[in-house]
Amino acid sequence: MQHLIDPMDLTKEEIDGILHLAQNIIKDKEKYSDKCHGKKLATLFYEPSTRTRLSFESAMMELGGNVLGFSEASSSSATKGESVEDTVRVVGCFADIIAMRHPNEGAPKLASMYSPVPVINAGDGGHNHPTQTLTDLLTIIEEKGHLDDFTIGLCGDLKFGRTVHSLIKALSRYKNVKFVLISPKELKVPEYIITEVIKPAGLMYEEVESLEENIGKLDVLYMTRVQRERFFNEADYVRLKDTYILDKAKMKLAKEDMRILHPLPRVNEIATAVDKDPRAAYFRQVMNGKYVRMALILTLLGISE
Ligand code: CP
């Protein structure tokens, strides 16, 4: 039985297979509309979500399956002290596959060790968000045509941003990807990402603070939100939250074919005036998230094309 907890749980070939299947689904949705008939997905969300939970549920519905679950811990027996281990043992009696979001890093991993059905990590604290990464990879392919030979700028909260950590891990398997890591000193990417992921892969990277000075060299700009919920004190959040605001003036410095990605939700780090720019790919990215989750569900359930 295969789970997805960390993007590195999948080989590069498996990732490419899921992305290829997602592209086939985009081309012929009808072909897949009954593939999960009789199957159930449980979404166990101990932390808020709009995109991830609803895209998982929409994905299962579009495959002809059903969904059940909870969208906040307070409506589950976690409030009575039930452990994650017991919860998945129970939910595994009702569902064929589980998507779990949890504020505690490692909770979905723990769940996978006790679950009788596949567990998908839908985001664990500041750690990983592998299905957002699959979404991001599919979007880069759809927008740029390839996952090798490009320069990506990751901008904003690189310290707590689980989407950033997962995306760098996944991209480290592709050839000649250059990382421009744009953040204030306080929100730099964790050291292990540099020493254990980027450097062993032999990929080029630079850590910089200015978006204006670096945007012109990027093929993809991955903007992120400064995450209030991960800060230990409000004063630091207030001081750092407006460090980067992508607006029309900064977009004039970018390449004509650059693409802007953002895992969303956005607060104010991308001005709404940028939404009309054809280079803004973040709402197309949301749609890709549904297709890639359809492909992942089929893959983990072992349902063939
Ligand atoms: N990108 C993402 O994880 O969004 P949600 O928090 O709304 O699921």
Side-chain angles (χ1 to χ4, degrees):
M1 184 170 51
Q2 192 174 16
H3 307 281
L4 178 59
I5 305 302
D6 184 297
M8 302 308 250
D9 291 345
L10 296 168
T11 64
K12 181 172 179 288
E13 290 67 32
E14 285 171 328
I15 288 181
D16 289 339
I18 290 167
L19 299 177
H20 183 67
L21 177 54
Q23 289 186 300
N24 286 345
I25 293 170
I26 292 170
K27 284 189 214 126
D28 186 0
K29 300 173 189 75
E30 187 57 34
K31 179 179 167 191
Y32 299 89
S33 63
D34 208 31
K35 289 278 183 190
C36 282
H37 180 81
K39 300 285 184 194
K40 287 180 283 230
L41 164 79
T43 50
L44 311 185
F45 276 59
Y46 294 82
E47 200 185 53
S49 167
T50 297
R51 270 147 300 275
T52 310
R53 184 173 65 82
L54 296 181
S55 67
F56 262 117
E57 295 183 357
S58 176
M60 192 49 151
M61 288 176 193
E62 293 205 18
L63 291 166
N66 286 302
V67 297
L68 64 161
F70 52 82
S71 57
E72 49 188 35
S74 62
S75 65
S76 78
S77 285
T79 52
K80 301 172 201 162
E82 187 163 46
S83 66
V84 159
E85 300 94 298
D86 283 359
T87 301
V88 292
R89 281 181 178 131
V90 169
V91 174
C93 300
F94 309 139
D96 301 284
I97 187 164
I98 293 171
M100 174 185 284
R101 171 169 292 188
H102 204 288
N104 295 346
E105 298 183 2
K109 173 74 186 168
L110 183 64
S112 72
M113 293 159 66
Y114 291 87
S115 174
V117 300
V119 174
I120 302 169
N121 178 4
D124 61 329
H127 193 213
N128 275 309
H129 194 346
T131 63
Q132 181 63 50
T133 298
L134 292 172
T135 302
D136 302 338
L137 296 178
L138 179 61
T139 304
I140 295 169
I141 291 185
E142 289 280 301
E143 299 285 334
K144 302 296 292 180
H146 52 88
L147 287 168
D148 295 312
D149 301 308
F150 75 107
T151 299
I152 180 167
L154 298 115
C155 178
D157 180 355
L158 309 189
K159 178 178 179 181
F160 298 114
R162 59 192 175 198
T163 63
V164 168
H165 308 156
S166 288
L167 182 56
I168 293 174
K169 284 183 187 178
L171 284 175
S172 71
R173 273 131 156 216
Y174 293 85
K175 285 197 215 90
N176 198 25
V177 179
K178 293 181 192 145
F179 297 102
V180 182
L181 306 170
I182 308 164
S183 75
K185 284 188 192 68
E186 297 88 336
L187 296 177
K188 281 170 71 168
V189 79
E191 194 55 27
Y192 85 90
I193 294 286
I194 304 282
T195 57
E196 295 175 27
V197 181
I198 297 178
K199 280 187 179 170
L203 294 174
M204 288 176 64
Y205 76 98
E206 54 183 320
E207 294 185 278
V208 299
E209 287 191 45
S210 168
L211 176 57
E212 288 91 328
E213 287 171 17
N214 291 284
I215 194 169
K217 63 175 89 150
L218 306 178
D219 301 305
V220 173
L221 170 58
Y222 193 88
M223 290 296 292
T224 62
R225 170 178 70 98
V226 175
Q227 301 179 80
R228 179 180 224 148
E229 66 272 30
R230 312 259 179 244
F231 274 77
F232 294 112
N233 73 73
E234 181 73 5
D236 282 349
Y237 169 72
V238 170
R239 184 167 53 80
L240 294 169
K241 71 183 173 67
D242 295 328
T243 309
Y244 303 107
I245 297 179
L246 182 64
D247 55 17
K248 285 171 93 168
K250 291 193 189 78
M251 284 304 294
K252 286 200 178 118
L253 305 171
K255 291 182 186 174
E256 281 302 310
D257 64 349
M258 189 191 82
R259 289 292 182 271
I260 312 162
L261 273 64
H262 190 312
L264 304 178
R266 151 177 68 182
V267 183
N268 64 346
E269 59 280 358
I270 302 178
T272 53
V274 175
D275 297 354
K276 292 194 192 78
D277 190 310
R279 293 171 288 184
Y282 31 92
F283 290 112
R284 298 191 289 275
Q285 185 181 359
V286 173
M287 187 62 95
N288 289 332
K290 179 179 69 176
Y291 296 124
V292 91
R293 288 181 176 102
M294 290 170 76
L296 178 65
I297 290 167
L298 290 174
T299 302
L300 294 186
L301 289 178
I303 296 172
S304 66
E305 282 210 60

